[in-house]
Each structure stands twice: as structure tokens, then as C-alpha cells.
């Protein structure tokens, strides 16, 4: 079974540009969550999508947005990039079965904003 | 509002010794609590999750954590450390349904041969 895939793996952008990151969850997983990881702030939750609907949202500005498609693939968009957006962006897919939940993370997209 | 505090950004234990990683939480609602692990050059993995069922939660790789409401703690333990346990561990808290998952700053575990 293929794991969570994220594309691209590395990205360099300049301030003011926008970027779109993609995440393909494990087959059968309908929940996709996005996280930002930086040395200074650690891991921060961005948002979660389930069946094409945003179910939960963290404390990030509106420049950060996302969506989920009918095949559960998800994209995250960051507009008007700032230097502080440089980070590792992680995507995770989840499957809840009864009281058990499994969650798998992708390798991440490392974004550098210059 | 909810938050977690991980005591000790770096913890070193000898191989075969007890692993204890501390996590205290603050939450205005009954929390869900999580431990994640990130091995070197690998992605995050969910170790275990507490969702108000049994207070002692068993996870993968021999780890377990106990929810203690009176102490607002959710410490992670493993009876005997292996070299392969060297990694960074994150505690996290959310409301019911994974709402606004909040992570701790992480604890880097080093195993001494």
C-alpha cells in the first residue's frame, strides 16, 4: 500500500509569490491534515479536510488556504509569501475505524522563501 | 484554549533503562491527547492517542502513556530503551474531534549505548 505522498519535495519562492502544495493520502483515507514545522515555532496545525470539507482550522492567517478533491487528494495554497513562511509543510492522512485511529504523515514539502 | 508543555527539550537514557518523557496539558474541555515520534530523516508517526476511554494507552514499539487528570499529565514511558528509540517526540492536545491540534515543542531522546 502506497504511503502519503507530497509534491513537490522542495520549493524555492520569493516574497510576494504564491505557492501550491499537493498531498495524496493513503488509498481509502478520507481525512487529510496539514501542519507547518519550523525550528522556532515547532509543529503547528494548519487545517483538516474530510470528504472535501474543511473540518478544523488552526490559527493561521487567511493567506493559508486549502481544499480537498473528491478523490481525497488535497492542496494547500499560500498567497503573498513572507520570509516567515519558510518551513517544512507536512500532510497527514487518517483513517478512523471504530475507536481506533491511524494517522500517517508524508515526507513533507520544504519551502524556502527568499 | 489548550496547550501542552513538554518538560525537557533533550533527554538521554542508557540502553535498557526506563524512558520517561513528560507532557503536561492545559485544556478547557476534555482533551484528546497524542504522542508522535519523528525518527531521523523520516516523517512523523502517531505513537498513541488518548480519547477518554482507558486512561492507560498502549502504542506502537512498546510505548505507553497514562492520562492523569488530577495531574493534567500524559507522560510517555517505555520500560527498556532501545537504540532505535532515538528520535524526537511530540506531545499534542486537541478538543474532541481533533479540533485545533496543538503540539508541544518536542523532546529529543538520545540513547546511550
Amino acid at each position: 500500500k502506497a504511503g502519503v505522498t507530497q509534491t513537490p519535495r522542495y520549493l524555492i519562492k520569493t516574497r510576494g509569490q504564491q505557492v501550491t502544495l499537493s498531498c495524496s493520502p493513503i488509498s481509502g483515507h478520507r481525512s487529510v491534515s496539514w501542519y507547518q514545522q519550523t525550528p522556532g515555532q515547532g509543529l503547528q496545525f494548519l487545517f483538516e479536510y474530510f470528504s472535501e470539507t474543511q473540518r478544523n482550522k488552526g490559527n493561521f492567517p487567511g493567506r493559508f488556504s486549502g481544499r480537498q478533491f473528491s478523490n481525497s487528494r488535497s492542496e494547500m495554497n499560500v498567497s503573498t509569501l513572507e520570509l516567515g513562511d519558510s518551513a517544512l509543510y507536512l500532510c497527514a492522512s487518517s483513517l478512523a475505524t471504530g475507536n481506533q485511529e491511524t494517522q500517517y504523515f508524508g515526507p513533507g514539502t520544504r519551502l524556502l522563501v527568499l | 484554549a489548550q496547550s501542552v508543555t513538554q518538560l525537557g527539550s533533550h533527554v538521554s537514557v542508557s540502553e535498557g533503562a526506563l524512558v520517561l518523557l513528560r507532557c503536561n496539558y492545559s485544556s478547557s474541555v476534555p482533551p484528546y491527547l497524542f504522542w508522535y515520534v519523528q525518527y531521523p530523516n523520516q516523517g512523523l508517526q502517531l505513537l498513541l492517542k488518548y480519547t477518554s476511554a482507558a486512561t492507560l494507552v498502549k502504542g506502537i514499539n512498546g510505548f505507553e502513556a497514562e492520562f492523569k487528570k488530577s495531574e493534567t499529565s500524559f507522560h510517555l514511558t517505555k520500560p527498556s530503551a532501545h537504540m532505535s528509540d532515538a528520535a524526537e517526540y511530540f506531545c499534542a492536545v486537541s478538543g474532541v474531534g481533533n479540533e485545533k491540534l496543538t503540539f508541544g515543542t518536542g523532546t529529543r531522546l538520545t540513547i546511550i549505548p
Side-chain angles (χ1 to χ4, degrees):
Chain A
K1 188 184 244 189
V4 179
T5 57
Q6 291 186 246
T7 57
R9 293 293 311 280
Y10 303 92
L11 204 50
I12 299 176
K13 292 285 188 178
T14 56
R15 280 179 297 175
Q17 287 186 308
Q18 75 165 17
V19 66
T20 299
L21 312 181
S22 180
C23 172
S24 293
I26 292 170
S27 177
H29 288 200
R30 294 164 64 189
S31 170
V32 174
S33 300
W34 288 90
Y35 304 84
Q36 181 195 66
Q37 186 177 28
T38 60
Q41 298 295 321
L43 268 169
Q44 298 184 85
F45 170 71
L46 280 155
F47 27 66
E48 179 195 7
Y49 286 87
F50 181 83
S51 293
E52 302 179 65
T53 301
Q54 188 180 84
R55 187 156 68 172
N56 294 300
K57 190 177 188 300
N59 296 319
F60 276 80
R63 299 186 297 107
F64 291 81
S65 63
R67 59 178 176 169
Q68 187 180 32
F69 302 94
S70 58
N71 62 358
S72 294
R73 189 177 71 85
S74 177
E75 287 183 347
M76 190 191 89
N77 184 274
V78 187
S79 62
T80 320
L81 283 166
E82 300 177 0
L83 295 179
D85 297 333
S86 296
L88 179 67
Y89 290 89
L90 295 167
C91 163
S93 75
S94 305
L95 177 66
T97 306
N99 290 329
Q100 292 292 323
E101 179 177 351
T102 53
Q103 185 178 48
Y104 300 89
F105 283 75
T109 294
R110 189 166 294 281
L111 171 66
L112 177 62
V113 182
L114 301 175
Chain B
Q2 55 203 18
S3 64
V4 288
T5 302
Q6 291 185 242
L7 301 175
S9 58
H10 292 86
V11 170
S12 297
V13 301
S14 298
E15 190 175 14
L18 171 72
V19 175
L20 171 61
L21 303 183
R22 300 177 187 273
C23 173
N24 287 90
Y25 71 90
S26 171
S27 178
S28 57
V29 297
Y32 280 11
L33 292 158
F34 309 77
W35 275 100
Y36 291 86
V37 60
Q38 188 168 27
Y39 296 104
N41 302 315
Q42 293 187 32
L44 272 171
Q45 296 180 40
L46 178 64
L47 263 182
L48 50 81
K49 176 181 178 181
Y50 166 77
T51 59
S52 74
T55 56
L56 182 63
V57 183
K58 294 186 184 298
I60 61 173
N61 301 337
F63 284 93
E64 62 183 35
E66 186 172 8
F67 172 70
K68 291 187 176 180
K69 185 177 179 180
S70 61
E71 298 177 8
T72 60
S73 69
F74 191 59
H75 302 330
L76 181 71
T77 61
K78 181 173 180 177
S80 177
H82 294 170
M83 295 300 296
S84 60
D85 294 329
E88 187 148 21
Y89 293 80
F90 295 91
C91 181
V93 63
S94 78
V96 173
N98 297 340
E99 291 175 358
K100 297 185 180 179
L101 191 62
T102 303
F103 285 87
T105 52
T107 297
R108 186 167 296 279
L109 177 64
T110 301
I111 310 300
I112 303 167

